[in-house]
Amino acid sequence: MTDQKERSTIVLFSGDLDKAIAAYIIANGAAAYDREVTIFHTFWGLNLLRKNELVQTKKGFLEKMFGKMMPRGADKMGLSKMNFGGMGPKMIKRVMNKHNVQTLPQLVDMAQEQGVKLVACTMTMDLLGLKEDELIDGLDYAGVAAYLADAEQSNHNLFI
Amino acid sequence: MTDQKERSTIVLFSGDLDKAIAAYIIANGAAAYDREVTIFHTFWGLNLLRKNELVQTKKGFLEKMFGKMMPRGADKMGLSKMNFGGMGPKMIKRVMNKHNVQTLPQLVDMAQEQGVKLVACTMTMDLLGLKEDELIDGLDYAGVAAYLADAEQSNHNLFI
Amino acid sequence: MTDQKERSTIVLFSGDLDKAIAAYIIANGAAAYDREVTIFHTFWGLNLLRKNELVQTKKGFLEKMFGKMMPRGADKMGLSKMNFGGMGPKMIKRVMNKHNVQTLPQLVDMAQEQGVKLVACTMTMDLLGLKEDELIDGLDYAGVAAYLADAEQSNHNLFI
C-alpha cells in the first residue's frame, strides 16, 4: 500500500562474540534485501563498538573499573558457550576464515557500508562511563525512546 | 485504521539482573508512549516476582530444593556477565544510583503503576513449585495460550 | 483481509535445554492455534537436532573437535542456570515428568507432527562441520535468506 521500506530493529544486549556475529549476519542479510535496519547496542553489546586502542578519558573509579574489565572492541569478545579461556573464539575465527565467513569487524564494516543504523545506547554509556571518543566512528547516539520509535515501525524485532 | 493501542509483549525468561533491568526499561518506556505492554515471566524470569521474605508453603522435596537455590526477588539477582560472586551487581547498583537510574524493584513498581500487565507463567510455577503467596501482589496468572494471544496482537515481541 | 495464516518465526540460537524447551513450548502452542511456525536452528541451537548415536563422517580436525565437544541431541543438553554438572537437567526432567510436561525429544516430535517447519542453518552446519546424516530426519535446510523471508511475513519473531 505504501512505498515505505520494511524495517528490522535489533537490540544487541549481549557481549558474546557468537551472538554479535548472529546479529550482524541477520542485519547484513536484511539490509541486502533492502530493508531498513537498526542495531541498538545496549549494555554489554556496546563493547563491540569500542575502539581497539586505549583512549584517555576522565573517569570516576567505578567507570575505570568497568572500562578495564570489559572487552575493547569486536576483536576481543568471548563466546557464550565453550569459551575455554579464549581458545573457543580462536577456533571459531579459524573456522570462519577457512569457510570464507567474514569476521565480526568485517561484518560491522559491511553493515556501515550498507547503511545499517548502528546506535549506541546513551544511558548505558552514562552508566558504564563510556565516552564517544572511545567508540568507533559513524555511530548514532540515542536512548530507549528512539529505539521504541524504530521498533514500532518494525515487524521484525529481535533481542539478542 | 483502528483506535486500538499498539502493543508490546515481552517474554522474560532470564533470571539475570541486567536482562531484567533491560526488559523493564523497555516496558516502562513503551508504556510511557501509551502502548499496551505485557511482560510474561517464565522459567527463571519468575524469580524476580518472588517476595523478599520466606513464605511457608507445603512443598515436595524437589520443589523445596529449587525454592532454596533460586534467588528470592528482584533485589537478589546476579548479572549475566561479570557477576564476580555478587560484586558485579553491587557495582551496577552503585553506578545506577549515582546516575539516578531506578533500581529493579523501583522499575517493577513503576511498571505496575503504569498499567504494564505482569504475568506469571502458571506452568513454570507448577514445575518449580512456586505458589501465589510467594509472589508479589498485583500479578496476572496465565499459561502459554494467553501469552500467544497477546503476542498475536503485538508487532513488538521480544524474548529476553 | 486475506486468508493467510498468521506466522511465527523463532531463531533458536541457544544450546541450553531450558531455552530449547521454552522455544518448543511456544512453537507447539502457536501451531495448536493454527499459526504457521518455523524454528530456524542456528549456532548451538543445531545441537538439539543431532542424532543421539555417533555417525561416521569425514571431517577436518577443527570440525572433529567441535563435534566431540558439543552435545549430541536434545537429550544431552545442559541448563543455562543451575546446571551443576548435569544434576540440574536431571532435576528438571524429573520435575517435568512428575507434572506430565513433555520432554524435549517429545516436544520435537510433536512439533514435527503439527507441521512446524524445523530448519537447520546451512552456514552453521558448514562452520561446525555437521552433515545431514548426523541430524534427525524431516528437517529443512536453508540459510539466512530463507529465515529473513519467513520473518518478513511474521509479526511474531523471537530470538532465543
Side-chain angles (χ1 to χ4, degrees):
Chain A
M1 197 62 73
T2 78
D3 285 349
Q4 273 203 301
K5 283 189 187 183
E6 297 278 330
R7 269 182 191 237
S8 297
T9 302
I10 296 171
V11 177
L12 184 53
F13 169 95
S14 169
D16 297 322
L17 176 64
D18 42 0
K19 289 198 181 169
I21 289 172
Y24 272 85
I25 287 177
I26 292 172
N28 278 323
Y33 287 97
D34 204 33
R35 298 177 72 105
E36 268 187 57
V37 186
T38 300
I39 307 180
F40 184 76
H41 300 74
T42 189
F43 284 72
W44 319 112
L46 266 183
N47 288 328
L48 97 86
L49 301 179
R50 292 176 82 188
K51 287 179 188 157
N52 223 307
E53 73 267 29
L54 180 62
V55 179
Q56 292 297 343
T57 52
K58 275 185 141 178
K59 294 192 186 189
F61 174 72
L62 282 169
E63 286 82 357
K64 262 189 196 148
M65 277 193 70
F66 272 117
K68 279 207 179 141
M69 293 186 306
M70 295 183 309
R72 227 175 7 247
D75 215 35
K76 298 282 172 56
M77 297 160 76
L79 290 178
S80 67
K81 294 263 153 194
M82 311 205 303
N83 195 48
F84 300 129
M87 207 188 78
K90 278 197 194 119
M91 277 179 64
I92 284 278
K93 283 172 196 168
R94 265 171 66 182
V95 166
M96 286 176 74
N97 186 42
K98 185 177 153 191
H99 290 278
N100 298 316
V101 178
Q102 291 168 302
T103 63
L104 183 53
Q106 288 171 330
L107 287 166
V108 174
D109 285 349
M110 192 195 199
Q112 290 194 307
E113 278 162 29
Q114 287 200 99
V116 173
K117 195 165 79 180
L118 303 185
V119 185
C121 169
T122 47
M123 193 202 78
T124 310
M125 289 175 67
D126 261 18
L127 276 180
L128 302 181
L130 290 170
K131 316 286 181 197
E132 293 196 17
D133 282 352
E134 296 176 82
L135 304 184
I136 61 173
D137 295 329
L139 302 180
D140 285 22
Y141 295 90
V144 71
Y147 158 68
L148 288 167
D150 279 337
E152 182 149 345
Q153 294 174 54
S154 306
N155 69 328
H156 186 224
N157 285 298
L158 300 177
F159 185 97
I160 297 184
Chain B
M1 199 61 75
T2 79
D3 285 349
Q4 272 203 302
K5 283 189 188 182
E6 296 278 330
R7 268 181 191 238
S8 297
T9 302
I10 296 171
V11 177
L12 184 54
F13 169 94
S14 167
D16 297 321
L17 176 64
D18 42 0
K19 290 198 181 168
I21 290 172
Y24 272 85
I25 288 176
I26 291 171
N28 278 324
Y33 286 97
D34 204 33
R35 299 176 71 104
E36 269 187 57
V37 186
T38 299
I39 307 180
F40 184 77
H41 300 73
T42 189
F43 283 72
W44 320 112
L46 265 184
N47 287 329
L48 97 86
L49 300 178
R50 293 176 81 188
K51 286 179 190 158
N52 223 306
E53 73 267 27
L54 180 63
V55 179
Q56 293 297 342
T57 53
K58 276 185 140 177
K59 293 191 185 189
F61 174 71
L62 282 169
E63 285 82 358
K64 261 189 198 148
M65 276 193 70
F66 271 117
K68 279 205 181 142
M69 292 185 307
M70 295 184 308
R72 228 175 8 248
D75 216 34
K76 297 283 172 57
M77 297 159 76
L79 289 179
S80 66
K81 294 265 151 190
M82 311 203 305
N83 195 47
F84 300 129
M87 206 188 78
K90 278 196 195 119
M91 277 179 64
I92 284 277
K93 283 172 196 168
R94 266 172 65 183
V95 165
M96 287 176 73
N97 187 43
K98 185 177 152 192
H99 290 278
N100 298 314
V101 178
Q102 292 168 301
T103 63
L104 183 53
Q106 288 171 330
L107 287 166
V108 174
D109 285 349
M110 193 196 197
Q112 292 195 305
E113 278 161 29
Q114 288 199 99
V116 173
K117 194 164 80 180
L118 304 184
V119 186
C121 169
T122 48
M123 193 203 78
T124 311
M125 289 176 67
D126 262 18
L127 276 180
L128 302 181
L130 289 171
K131 316 287 182 196
E132 294 196 17
D133 282 351
E134 296 176 83
L135 304 184
I136 61 173
D137 295 328
L139 302 180
D140 285 23
Y141 295 91
V144 71
Y147 158 69
L148 287 166
D150 278 338
E152 182 148 345
Q153 294 174 53
S154 307
N155 69 329
H156 185 224
N157 285 297
L158 300 177
F159 185 97
I160 298 185
Chain C
M1 197 62 73
T2 78
D3 286 348
Q4 272 203 302
K5 283 189 188 185
E6 296 278 330
R7 268 181 191 238
S8 297
T9 302
I10 295 171
V11 177
L12 184 54
F13 169 93
S14 168
D16 297 321
L17 175 64
D18 42 359
K19 290 198 181 167
I21 290 172
Y24 273 84
I25 288 176
I26 292 171
N28 278 324
Y33 287 97
D34 204 32
R35 298 177 72 104
E36 269 187 57
V37 186
T38 300
I39 307 180
F40 184 76
H41 299 75
T42 189
F43 283 73
W44 320 112
L46 266 183
N47 288 329
L48 97 85
L49 300 178
R50 293 176 80 187
K51 287 179 189 158
N52 223 307
E53 72 267 27
L54 180 63
V55 179
Q56 293 296 345
T57 52
K58 275 185 141 177
K59 293 191 185 189
F61 174 71
L62 282 170
E63 286 82 357
K64 261 188 197 150
M65 276 193 70
F66 271 117
K68 279 206 180 140
M69 293 185 306
M70 295 184 308
R72 229 178 1 250
D75 215 34
K76 297 281 172 59
M77 296 159 76
L79 289 179
S80 65
K81 293 265 151 190
M82 310 204 304
N83 196 46
F84 300 129
M87 207 188 77
K90 276 194 195 121
M91 279 178 63
I92 284 279
K93 284 172 196 168
R94 266 171 67 182
V95 166
M96 287 176 73
N97 187 42
K98 185 178 152 191
H99 290 279
N100 298 315
V101 178
Q102 291 169 302
T103 62
L104 183 53
Q106 288 171 330
L107 287 167
V108 174
D109 285 350
M110 192 195 198
Q112 292 194 305
E113 279 162 28
Q114 288 200 98
V116 173
K117 194 164 80 180
L118 303 185
V119 186
C121 169
T122 47
M123 193 203 77
T124 310
M125 288 175 67
D126 262 17
L127 276 180
L128 302 182
L130 290 171
K131 316 286 182 197
E132 293 196 18
D133 281 352
E134 297 176 81
L135 304 184
I136 61 172
D137 295 329
L139 302 180
D140 285 21
Y141 294 90
V144 71
Y147 158 68
L148 287 166
D150 278 336
E152 182 148 346
Q153 294 174 55
S154 307
N155 68 329
H156 186 224
N157 285 298
L158 300 177
F159 184 97
I160 297 183

